[in-house]
Amino acid sequence: MHKLLLPSLLAISLSACQVTPISTQATQPESTVESPLTIGISDAKLKAIVEADWQIQLDSNPSQAFLDGDLTAAGKLADLSPQHLASLNLRKQQLLDELKTIDSASLTKEDKINAQILQGQLQNSVDLFKYKDHYLPITAESGFHAYISSITKAKFATQADYQHYIAKLNALPRYFAQQIHWLKQGLSTGITPPKVTLKGFEDSISAFMVPVEESGYFQPFKHYPKHFTQAQQDELTAQGKALVEQKVLPLYQAFYDFMTKEYIPNARVDIASASLPYGIEFYENRVRYYTTLDMSADEVHQLGLKEVKRIRGEMQEIIDELGFEGSFADFLNFLRTDPQFYPKTAEELLKEAAYIAKKADAMLPKYFGKLPRTPYGIQPVPAEIAPKYTTGRYSGSNRDDQPGYYWVNTYALDKRPLYEMEALTLHEAVPGHHLQISLNKELTNLPNFRRYSYISAFGEGWGLYSEYLGLEAGFYQDPYSNFGRLTYEMWRAARLVVDTGMHAKGWSRQQALDFMASNTALSMHNVTTEIDRYISWPGQALSYKIGELTIKRLRAKAEDELGETFDIRAFHDALLENGSVPMSVLEQQINDFILKQKKSS
């Protein structure tokens, strides 16, 4: 799964989820009667809108603006005041209205795609403002208080770098005050995560309430570049210690008190999106957005039940192959409780992930013609968010001097089965998220709004397809590991059922827990954290299976039409060559690939 593409953007954009679906109409063919003048005017107008949109993004995110060359943005944090957010929304609405006046038939093929994706992004932002998404800067997993700590990952090479960091520390009180203001607005309007999903949330706050010297915010003041004099180091250390002790740590204490005494006790009880303002409309739009297809919640639910039945049959075949005596439930209990399947130490789990990752690296040249230059590393999920965090995730970097990271959750080792590690690694590292996202950012021919965007159906569909690709590449030789692969596929199929079940069909949380637990070998800890994630992030869990099924269908089509001339490397390169796109655009992409291959052969 991917959510940390650009950590610095989380507070404003990437933590939000698109509501209005991107158009699902196939890209229109270029007109053969347009005049060059008409094309030029439309292209120029679109270019101006694209540039204006990027400026809005930079205005909403100082960290990205600084990386983009705006030195005045150094040391600033996002302004989340009501006035600023309303101003940004108005500018986006105006751009959206202007974009809709462009005749798409007069655009080049590439700009048709640009216009379609940009319209979806702008519509999303406008709708999120309407649906008060800024009232929810937290989820069951974590929140702004953890994401903002990414400011400690900045580059510290000069005195100016430290002064910028100190300015950010001084800006934290305003940032926390603004976020808490929106949380209070959520309380007054019933727009909160369900109370049940916030059980233990306070632990993610108390993890930051440590002695000054142990605080992550103080770490930059422990190590300095060699050219810093002792006097400079002493002065910066004193400043940093005072700021962390007197400003930063009290913020977390105050936030902890607010959450435990005021927010969590008064959070909404009902788990369904229907209990929110615009609830039913909101969820159906989320379904269409996260699938990028014109599907209803009921259609997704029925597809999920069909996939669960199919995968359950394949799982039973492995149980029979192993000669296990007992029921399906007995086998799941065996996998969840037998110590042979669990690491003894965090280091053992990380080493297993690293070993699998290196094997995955070796498979890449056989399946891909183009590989990214950016490497990736492996890290444990940060301790302060690990207890309620998912089993693993990819965390990208927005700097060219840093790698991406495959995060592995080392919390509660007796809930992290080794038989899942191959599927997890292929999804989060390569050929999954790291490869796809890194290639996306290297597409310098694309406008920034596409290079740094993430369409969930594409990205998560690719991640799940990558797990399947491992089967072709010789992974899953152990039947338990293959069962782990199927349990991960079942996990994604079951998501279609439980997400729609809870948000559109009146399912209780316990019904969803029971369904997931009875059909997958996920540990009960993982089942619980996952169900709570779906409750507090409705619709996102639908991306995986829908995207994967689309990619598999398009591959089958290419194989069928190209026959012996089908080249798996060329096919994968064609899938990834335009970055993250809606499923309708991807379909047109592969249709074009098939025609091109036919002509060349």
Side-chain angles (χ1 to χ4, degrees):
M1 138 205 359
H2 167 76
K3 196 181 179 183
L4 297 181
L5 176 58
L6 293 176
S8 62
L9 294 178
L10 280 168
I12 296 288
S13 57
L14 295 185
S15 63
C17 303
Q18 193 162 345
V19 177
T20 296
I22 292 174
S23 171
T24 57
Q25 298 300 311
T27 306
Q28 299 178 19
E30 294 181 56
S31 172
T32 57
V33 296
E34 339 164 316
S35 71
L37 178 61
T38 302
I39 294 176
I41 292 173
S42 296
D43 285 351
K45 187 174 182 181
L46 177 62
K47 182 180 179 181
I49 293 173
V50 167
E51 291 175 352
D53 168 74
W54 184 244
Q55 187 57 53
I56 293 174
Q57 293 196 43
L58 297 181
D59 290 346
S60 69
N61 195 285
S63 295
Q64 186 63 42
F66 178 69
L67 291 171
D68 206 54
D70 181 3
L71 300 183
T72 66
K76 296 181 181 178
L77 297 180
D79 180 1
L80 305 178
S81 65
Q83 299 82 0
H84 189 65
L85 293 190
S87 172
L88 291 173
N89 180 66
L90 178 61
R91 291 165 64 188
K92 291 174 184 177
Q93 181 65 67
Q94 291 170 340
L95 273 188
L96 178 61
D97 293 341
E98 189 174 354
L99 180 59
K100 289 179 178 179
T101 66
I102 295 180
D103 178 12
S104 63
S106 66
L107 294 173
T108 64
K109 179 180 177 180
E110 187 60 33
D111 275 343
K112 283 185 175 73
I113 298 173
N114 287 334
Q116 181 179 346
I117 294 176
L118 181 57
Q119 182 171 329
Q121 289 185 7
L122 286 168
Q123 186 68 61
N124 165 59
S125 295
V126 169
D127 285 344
L128 286 176
F129 191 78
K130 168 188 172 182
Y131 291 122
K132 314 297 184 187
D133 186 72
H134 48 295
Y135 288 10
L136 290 166
I138 63 172
T139 67
E141 289 183 333
S142 191
F144 73 89
H145 63 290
Y147 300 136
I148 195 61
S149 67
S150 66
I151 64 174
T152 64
K153 307 300 182 185
K155 188 176 182 180
F156 292 94
T158 67
Q159 281 272 72
D161 291 336
Y162 276 91
Q163 292 307 318
H164 297 159
Y165 179 60
I166 286 170
K168 289 179 181 178
L169 293 182
N170 276 310
L172 279 176
R174 186 194 71 163
Y175 179 81
F176 269 67
Q178 289 177 339
Q179 295 283 32
I180 291 173
H181 165 78
W182 294 123
L183 287 170
K184 288 181 177 179
Q185 293 297 110
L187 273 181
S188 67
T189 55
I191 303 176
T192 73
K195 184 187 299 186
V196 68
T197 68
L198 295 175
K199 183 180 180 181
F201 181 88
E202 65 274 12
D203 296 338
S204 72
I205 309 172
S206 61
F208 289 91
M209 296 157 57
V210 295
V212 176
E213 290 78 6
E214 297 176 22
S215 171
Y217 286 100
F218 186 69
Q219 297 312 301
F221 301 104
K222 285 187 171 183
H223 306 285
Y224 295 94
K226 292 181 180 179
H227 63 272
F228 277 38
T229 66
Q230 190 60 51
Q232 289 173 327
Q233 294 182 38
D234 291 344
E235 181 181 355
L236 287 170
T237 301
Q239 274 188 281
K241 186 172 184 178
L243 276 172
V244 175
E245 185 174 36
Q246 298 169 21
K247 284 194 174 181
V248 178
L249 295 180
L251 288 175
Y252 282 89
Q253 181 64 61
F255 183 47
Y256 181 92
D257 293 341
F258 167 71
M259 290 298 294
T260 56
K261 297 176 182 178
E262 185 175 347
Y263 193 86
I264 295 176
N266 295 295
R268 65 186 172 101
V269 176
D270 197 303
I271 65 170
S273 294
S275 65
L276 293 169
Y278 305 103
I280 296 174
E281 170 194 338
F282 174 72
Y283 185 67
E284 289 291 348
N285 280 334
R286 291 291 286 274
V287 170
R288 290 192 293 273
Y289 166 64
Y290 277 113
T291 64
T292 70
L293 298 171
D294 190 19
M295 297 183 74
S296 68
D298 187 63
E299 287 172 327
V300 171
H301 190 83
Q302 296 305 318
L303 177 61
L305 290 173
K306 181 181 177 181
E307 281 290 283
V308 165
K309 182 179 180 180
R310 176 187 64 79
I311 301 166
R312 179 70 173 263
E314 292 186 31
M315 296 171 91
Q316 188 61 52
E317 289 177 8
I318 294 179
I319 296 174
D320 295 341
E321 175 191 340
L322 287 167
F324 181 83
E325 296 182 3
S327 66
F328 187 83
D330 291 335
F331 187 71
L332 296 187
N333 184 62
F334 164 62
L335 293 179
R336 288 179 179 137
T337 57
D338 195 303
Q340 68 172 303
F341 298 119
Y342 295 86
K344 303 296 187 296
T345 66
E347 184 179 42
E348 179 187 351
L349 184 60
L350 292 170
K351 283 184 175 180
E352 180 70 11
Y355 173 62
I356 296 168
K358 288 310 295 181
K359 288 201 299 182
D361 286 341
M363 72 178 268
L364 296 181
K366 182 178 179 180
Y367 292 93
F368 300 89
K370 185 177 181 181
L371 298 173
R373 66 166 295 277
T374 305
Y376 67 97
I378 297 174
Q379 288 183 334
V381 171
E384 60 269 18
I385 60 175
K388 289 179 68 64
Y389 210 68
T390 190
T391 188
R393 186 160 285 173
Y394 177 71
S395 176
S397 172
N398 56 355
R399 286 170 46 184
D400 63 8
D401 63 342
Q402 287 185 342
Y405 280 100
Y406 161 31
W407 281 4
V408 178
N409 200 330
T410 57
Y411 173 81
L413 291 173
D414 61 340
K415 307 297 188 292
R416 311 295 172 192
L418 295 171
Y419 54 76
E420 295 176 353
M421 290 307 295
E422 285 189 319
L424 177 66
T425 303
L426 293 169
H427 183 112
E428 303 296 345
V430 295
H433 287 322
H434 173 73
L435 183 139
Q436 182 262 313
I437 291 168
S438 297
L439 284 175
N440 197 129
K441 288 191 288 186
E442 291 176 14
L443 295 173
T444 55
N445 60 307
L446 296 183
N448 283 330
F449 80 89
R450 285 183 60 187
R451 288 181 65 204
Y452 296 102
S453 69
Y454 189 78
I455 295 175
S456 196
F458 182 89
E460 300 303 347
W462 175 258
L464 183 50
Y465 171 76
S466 295
E467 297 174 29
Y468 162 78
L469 193 59
L471 193 61
E472 290 184 42
F475 286 74
Y476 316 116
Q477 292 298 311
D478 182 275
Y480 293 109
S481 178
N482 196 25
F483 195 90
R485 174 188 68 84
L486 287 171
T487 229
Y488 262 40
E489 187 181 7
M490 176 68 89
W491 174 19
R492 279 45 170 266
R495 286 174 174 180
L496 302 182
V497 179
V498 299
D499 195 285
T500 53
M502 290 186 293
H503 292 294
K505 291 183 171 295
W507 279 33
S508 69
R509 178 173 178 266
Q510 191 59 51
Q511 273 181 280
L513 288 168
D514 291 344
F515 188 88
M516 185 73 77
S518 63
N519 284 291
T520 75
L522 295 175
S523 70
M524 289 308 300
H525 175 83
N526 283 343
V527 168
T528 302
T529 57
E530 286 298 315
I531 292 299
D532 286 347
R533 175 184 149 218
Y534 311 151
I535 293 172
S536 65
W537 196 4
Q540 189 271 345
L542 311 180
S543 308
Y544 302 69
K545 241 317 169 175
I546 300 299
E548 180 229 19
L549 289 172
T550 302
I551 292 172
K552 281 184 173 179
R553 176 176 60 79
L554 293 175
R555 175 174 168 176
K557 179 179 181 180
E559 289 176 328
D560 181 60
E561 295 197 25
L562 296 177
E564 293 182 356
T565 66
F566 176 79
D567 182 342
I568 189 64
R569 290 172 19 124
F571 173 75
H572 287 150
D573 288 350
L575 271 173
L576 301 173
E577 68 180 357
N578 286 320
S580 188
V581 296
M583 294 298 97
S584 58
V585 173
L586 185 63
E587 179 131 16
Q588 185 61 52
Q589 231 170 264
I590 298 305
N591 287 340
D592 291 345
F593 164 76
I594 293 171
L595 288 175
K596 184 178 179 181
Q597 293 296 304
K598 284 181 176 179
K599 288 180 180 179
S600 66
S601 63

